Amino acid sequence: MVRWRSGTVTALRRQWTGAVELDVDLSDGGSVRALAYPALVGRPEPGDRVLLNAGALLMGLGTGGYALVVALPDRLPPDPPQALDNRDAGHLVKARYTPLQPILLGVDEEASPHREVMAAADDLAGLPVVTADLHSALPAILAGIHADAPAARVAYLLTDGGALPAWFSRTLAGLREHLVGTVTVGQAFGGDLEAGTVHSGLLAARHVLRADVVIVAQGPGNLGTGTRWGFSGVAVGEAVNAVATLGGRPVGSLRISDADPRPRHRGVSHHSLTAYGRVALASAELVVPDGLAPALAGEVDAALAPLAARHSLVRVPTDGLDAALRAAPVPLSTMGRGLDADHAYFLAAAAAGRHAARLLS
C-alpha cells in the first residue's frame, strides 16, 4: 500500500503548468526528488515540511521517478474561493474516495456555462478522432496533423489509464499553445474542461472547443503487466466504439516498432492488435505508414491482415513527416527512446495525424 515519508523542502526545481518539482531531505536520512500539484496541496517553499507517498519511487515504478507530495501539514492551503457547500462551483468528484479527491465543475453539469450546448449535443458529425494507446504518441500525431493542416483546431482527450492529473505531463504543458484545449475524462482531471465519460468528453471537444480533430490517449505512466489484457491502453478499443457510437470517424494510430527490445512489441505491438482486433467492435481506419524498412513492413502487413475484416487499412505517404517530427515543440520520447532510436513508432503516429488532417477536406 502507501509507503509514507516525511521531510523538508530544500529547493524548487523545474515548474510547469500545474506542477512543481522539489528536492526534499527525508526525516530519516537521504533525499528524494518530489512532485507537488499546487492546486491540490498548495505551493511548497524551501523550509516547508512535507508528507510524501514514496511507494512508486522506492519500487522503481512509474514515469519520472518522483515521490508525491500529499500535504504541507504546517501550512495548509486556503479553501478555494468558490463556495463548496453547494453545486454552484461544480460537484464532479474525480479520483473518487481517495484522500485527495478534487471537486470540479463538469462541462455538462447544471452550473456549467456550457450546460445548454452539452445538453443538446449528441453527435460528432463525422469528426476525425485519432486514438492511440500511449501518451508519447500525442506530439507525433499532432505534428502529422499540422504538417498538412497547420490551422486545424486540435483537442486532446486525456483518459484515465495513466496519470490522473493532467499536470503530470510536461509534454502536455509544452503543447498548450498548439491545442485548442484538453478535456480530462473519467477519473482524470486538470484539463481545460472536465468530463465524466469519454462520450461526454468527445462531445465537449466538438461542441465546446470547436475542434476539427481530436486525439484520444491516456496520460503518461500507464499500467502494464506484460500480459495481453493487463495494459491500460487496451481501452483505446473502447474509445473507438465511443467515437463510432457518436457518429465520429475513428482513426487508429498503430504502435509500430523495430527498436523495442521486447518481442511482443516489435512489428505491430500486441497491445494494438488486442485493442483494435478484440476490443474495438466498430470499424476504424487503421493507418499504415509508407516508407518502413522492408522487413518491418512485412511484419506489419502480416500482423494486420486478420484485422482487415473489420477495419480499413489505410496506407499513408510519409514524405515530409520526418521534418515535421523534428520540428515538434516538445521532445519526442517513448520508453526512453527518442525519434532516431525508434523512428518507426513516431512515423506511424504522425501518419495517423496526417490521415486525420486529410479527412478534413
Side-chain angles (χ1 to χ4, degrees), residues 20-107:
V20 180
E21 190 180 76
L22 320 166
D23 286 331
V24 177
D25 281 351
L26 298 177
S27 302
D28 56 359
S31 63
V32 296
R33 187 172 56 158
L35 194 70
Y37 303 120
L40 293 183
V41 302
R43 180 167 292 276
E45 298 292 344
D48 280 338
R49 186 166 67 97
V50 291
L51 298 181
L52 305 172
N53 181 337
L57 172 63
L58 294 172
M59 294 181 67
L61 303 177
T63 299
Y66 293 113
L68 296 174
V69 176
V70 179
L72 311 179
D74 303 323
R75 192 166 60 83
L76 297 177
D79 286 344
Q82 306 96 334
L84 294 180
D85 55 355
N86 58 51
R87 298 188 175 194
D88 291 348
H91 74 288
L92 199 67
V93 181
K94 295 200 174 184
R96 287 186 283 277
Y97 301 103
T98 63
L100 291 178
Q101 61 179 18
I103 301 176
L104 306 157
L105 178 62
V107 65

Side-chain angles (χ1 to χ4, degrees), residues 163-203:
L164 297 186
W167 312 311
F168 186 80
S169 174
R170 294 195 301 274
T171 294
L172 185 55
L175 293 176
R176 286 180 63 85
E177 301 303 315
H178 304 270
L179 297 166
V180 295
T182 295
V183 188
T184 36
V185 304
Q187 299 287 341
F189 57 91
D192 300 291
L193 298 174
E194 303 287 352
T197 68
V198 171
H199 298 77
S200 58
L202 288 167
L203 292 168

Side-chain angles (χ1 to χ4, degrees), residues 80-330:
Q82 306 96 334
L84 294 180
D85 55 355
N86 58 51
R87 298 188 175 194
D88 291 348
H91 74 288
L92 199 67
V93 181
K94 295 200 174 184
R96 287 186 283 277
Y97 301 103
T98 63
L100 291 178
Q101 61 179 18
I103 301 176
L104 306 157
L105 178 62
V107 65
D108 54 353
E109 65 175 298
E110 294 89 340
S112 169
H114 310 297
R115 167 70 173 193
E116 185 175 352
V117 169
M118 289 298 295
D122 196 43
D123 192 89
L124 295 177
L127 177 73
V129 179
V130 185
T131 58
D133 68 2
L134 289 178
H135 187 68
S136 56
L138 170 63
I141 294 169
L142 185 63
I145 295 170
H146 282 158
D148 288 0
R153 295 172 57 84
V154 184
Y156 171 44
L157 204 74
L158 190 156
T159 62
D160 57 12
L164 297 186
W167 312 311
F168 186 80
S169 174
R170 294 195 301 274
T171 294
L172 185 55
L175 293 176
R176 286 180 63 85
E177 301 303 315
H178 304 270
L179 297 166
V180 295
T182 295
V183 188
T184 36
V185 304
Q187 299 287 341
F189 57 91
D192 300 291
L193 298 174
E194 303 287 352
T197 68
V198 171
H199 298 77
S200 58
L202 288 167
L203 292 168
R206 169 70 176 86
H207 294 280
V208 176
L209 296 177
R210 299 291 179 183
D212 299 315
V213 182
V214 176
I215 302 170
V216 178
Q218 62 183 336
N222 56 268
L223 172 68
T225 64
T227 63
R228 174 180 293 158
W229 296 106
F231 172 56
S232 51
V234 166
V236 75
E238 299 288 6
V240 168
N241 296 336
V243 174
T245 295
L246 294 173
R249 194 160 178 177
V251 175
S253 176
L254 295 167
R255 186 171 166 186
I256 293 173
S257 177
D258 57 1
D260 199 302
R262 298 163 295 180
R264 63 185 184 274
H265 294 305
R266 294 179 72 87
V268 181
S269 168
H270 75 129
H271 289 322
S272 284
L273 298 176
T274 299
Y276 295 118
R278 301 284 299 278
V279 180
L281 303 180
S283 176
E285 296 171 50
L286 304 184
V287 175
V288 183
D290 282 340
L292 297 176
L296 177 59
E299 286 185 62
V300 169
D301 288 345
L304 293 177
L307 276 62
R310 178 176 304 159
H311 303 291
S312 298
L313 304 183
V314 183
R315 296 194 175 274
V316 172
T318 56
D319 51 295
L321 289 184
D322 178 76
L325 289 166
R326 295 186 188 280
V330 297

